[in-house]
Amino acid sequence: MNFSELIPFSGGSRLASFSPSGFYLAEAAQFRANVRDSKSLELLQSFACADQITDLAWSPDSLFLMCVMRKRALVQVWSLEHPDWACKIDEGVAGLVAACWAPDSRRVLTTADFNLRVTVWSLTDKTVAYLKHPKACSKYIAFSSDGCLLALAERRGLKDCVSVFNCGGDTGWQLVAHFDAGTEDLDGLAWSPDATALACWDGCLRSRVAIFSPTGTQLHTFSAYPLERGLGTKCVEWSPSSQFLAVGCYDGSLRLLNNITWEPLAEMRGQTCVEPPPSSSASSSGIVAYREIESPSGLPRYEASPPGDPPIPIPVVKPDPSKPNPKVGIGAVHFSPCSRYVAFREDSQPGALWLWELNRLKPSALLLHRNPVRSFAWDPSAFNPPRLAIVTGTPCVYMWSTAGCLAAQVPLMDRCGAFVITSVSWHPDGDALLLTSDADACVCFLESGGAAGQAG
């Protein structure tokens, strides 16, 4: 691993990112948006904005950079091919809570305060379209992978519903389906990667997921347990192959639905104690656990649990019932690009990261860290073996692959001392990592085709 110098910026994972093409790295520093070469980190462009940037987003074709200034309800769009060209979108008194790109990279969607409306702005012909009644929930907009369909969560007449629009071509945003969401308090929606199914789910009060076809035909409704048993759905994620839908609940279980019958194939749960394999060979009765320890030199490293070791207890943090948003349940889940593995974190076990192999529907590994897992991401490159990068709010970055695990300390110091990493993301080619803290960013360059080494 080779680490770049620290790049000061405004802080936060939404203010630094690689472009989808992988050629550029953008980062926001107060009023300026800087574009760098992703390999050399040479500064290529610097754009001055009207106010402090709160969000930064690349267009899907990597030719435009959008800077969002929520305090002034303003969006500015810059062109990398034509630096003299600029676009300014002013929501004015309507306010601004969010902005995103349409898949064609030529239209921008903005959401007004209190989710009064979603406005579609065209950068080419300057036309404007309005989508009414968007619901204020975590994921109220979802584009299909082919960019042809937009699903919008709505709240009309005290009922949740979904509108599907055709956003491809030059025919405008035409309504193609409108249907009841099948939920009581819709919290989000997501298209399957093959765009054949749309999942809609309730929030924390009810564990219910409704699945629809693009035309609004209800395919299935899944409830993990009755309402009286506890809190509901916390996170939902499709596998890249569209074969599986992972439903994480507040009861600490991750349920894996199949795309044929939509019934659970497996129920994955973070255990409080794991038993290592009884022998050096892989065993279905044990889990390989990698524990973070401090080496004699003071540097962190992983230690694999030897075969036949006693059961390993997993630290559990008891949530405070007097505080909102209890730290309990499946807080994050991510599938590997090949859909062979799924990694998830149970929030009451903040330092533990579970990995399941979907071919066997069995746990493959357990990564135990001394600090809570803050962010983890899979290598997106299809040419590399499955690799997982993890950060825990320390100056260290951790990696897992089928070959083993490694831990590396970033030898950099920021203005406050050690470089505390809070977020990690991959370069599209899988040859670099973007590590960010609250005030600085760093690029970690990996050896070409390299994978995580053996434990330790």
Side-chain angles (χ1 to χ4, degrees):
M1 292 182 175
N2 296 315
F3 298 95
S4 72
E5 296 295 327
L6 289 181
I7 304 172
F9 77 121
S10 298
S13 59
R14 295 186 298 183
L15 292 175
S17 65
F18 290 114
S19 64
S21 66
F23 296 146
Y24 308 110
L25 169 66
E27 42 88 8
Q30 298 297 326
F31 295 81
R32 303 197 71 88
N34 300 318
V35 178
R36 302 175 182 271
D37 183 279
S38 64
K39 303 297 184 183
S40 65
L41 301 185
E42 176 188 359
L43 184 64
L44 304 177
Q45 298 283 349
S46 184
F47 303 107
C49 296
D51 205 339
Q52 183 172 349
I53 303 169
T54 55
D55 294 283
L56 203 66
W58 285 101
S59 62
D61 63 4
S62 301
L63 298 180
F64 297 91
L65 182 65
M66 177 173 64
C67 302
V68 181
M69 291 144 277
R70 289 199 299 265
K71 294 180 180 178
R72 289 187 56 173
L74 193 65
V75 174
Q76 288 185 265
V77 181
W78 308 94
S79 170
L80 269 68
E81 289 186 323
H82 307 283
D84 295 334
W85 180 92
C87 171
K88 181 183 290 187
I89 298 172
D90 192 349
E91 279 282 7
V93 295
L96 180 67
V97 295
C100 67
W101 284 98
D104 63 1
S105 300
R106 297 301 179 268
R107 283 173 283 194
V108 171
L109 282 70
T110 60
T111 305
D113 272 341
F114 309 107
N115 280 57
L116 295 176
R117 70 186 184 200
V118 174
T119 308
V120 183
W121 309 81
S122 173
L123 304 183
T124 53
D125 55 17
K126 300 182 181 181
T127 57
V128 178
Y130 297 101
L131 309 179
K132 299 180 180 180
H133 312 294
K135 183 175 180 182
C137 57
S138 60
K139 296 181 180 179
Y140 58 94
I141 288 179
F143 286 99
S144 60
S145 58
D146 57 9
C148 295
L149 297 175
L150 164 68
L152 177 68
E154 299 179 347
R155 185 73 172 176
R156 299 191 185 190
L158 302 180
K159 294 185 66 176
D160 292 332
C161 51
V162 176
S163 289
V164 178
F165 298 88
N166 181 3
C167 53
D170 300 324
T171 58
W173 295 66
Q174 296 181 342
L175 182 67
V176 296
H178 179 78
F179 50 91
D180 189 298
T183 57
E184 290 191 8
D185 185 16
L186 181 61
D187 189 57
L189 41 77
W191 288 101
S192 62
D194 60 5
T196 60
L198 177 70
C200 305
W201 59 91
D202 266 304
C204 63
L205 297 181
R206 187 177 292 272
S207 176
R208 179 188 296 169
V209 179
I211 302 164
F212 299 88
S213 70
T215 59
T217 302
Q218 188 163 339
L219 304 177
H220 190 72
T221 299
F222 170 75
S223 294
Y225 42 79
L227 173 63
E228 60 271 11
R229 280 191 53 187
L231 296 174
T233 307
K234 193 166 187 178
C235 63
V236 175
E237 185 84 9
W238 286 96
S239 69
S241 65
S242 302
Q243 292 177 295
F244 308 109
L245 179 65
V247 180
C249 299
Y250 280 90
D251 69 343
S253 293
L254 182 71
R255 294 165 175 87
L256 198 68
L257 312 185
N258 70 87
N259 68 340
I260 305 299
T261 65
W262 302 110
E263 293 296 334
L265 286 177
E267 183 175 327
M268 311 172 189
R269 189 175 183 87
Q271 307 167 25
T272 57
C273 187
V274 297
E275 183 178 347
S279 63
S280 57
S281 60
S283 172
S284 59
S285 62
I287 304 173
V288 178
Y290 297 94
R291 289 179 287 186
E292 180 192 356
I293 63 171
E294 187 174 310
S295 65
S297 62
L299 299 177
R301 69 181 182 90
Y302 279 118
E303 180 183 66
S305 54
D309 254 20
I312 302 169
I314 302 173
V316 177
V317 177
K318 189 175 181 180
D320 187 352
S322 64
K323 295 183 179 180
N325 303 317
K327 296 293 184 181
V328 64
I330 305 300
V333 54
H334 299 302
F335 287 90
S336 63
C338 60
S339 296
R340 182 181 174 185
Y341 297 96
V342 61
F344 65 92
R345 184 193 69 228
E346 216 279 48
D347 285 346
S348 66
Q349 302 173 348
L353 194 64
W354 295 87
L355 284 88
W356 277 57
E357 187 174 358
L358 300 183
N359 292 347
R360 301 186 301 122
L361 292 178
K362 296 287 185 180
S364 175
L366 169 64
L367 310 181
L368 285 173
H369 305 89
R370 294 182 292 176
N371 295 282
V373 174
R374 297 287 296 272
S375 175
F376 59 99
W378 289 97
D379 178 357
S381 174
F383 301 100
N384 294 329
R387 296 188 297 178
L388 186 68
I390 309 115
V391 295
T392 62
T394 64
C396 303
V397 59
Y398 309 88
M399 291 190 67
W400 173 92
S401 79
T402 53
C405 294
L406 65 82
Q409 185 165 355
V410 181
L412 299 172
M413 303 289 284
D414 61 14
R415 295 180 293 257
C416 301
F419 178 51
V420 177
I421 310 167
T422 57
S423 179
V424 59
S425 59
W426 285 86
H427 187 277
D429 293 340
D431 56 5
L433 292 168
L434 178 61
L435 310 174
T436 60
S437 70
D438 292 336
D440 298 282
C442 164
V443 178
C444 171
F445 296 98
L446 307 175
E447 293 183 4
S448 178
Q454 296 297 327

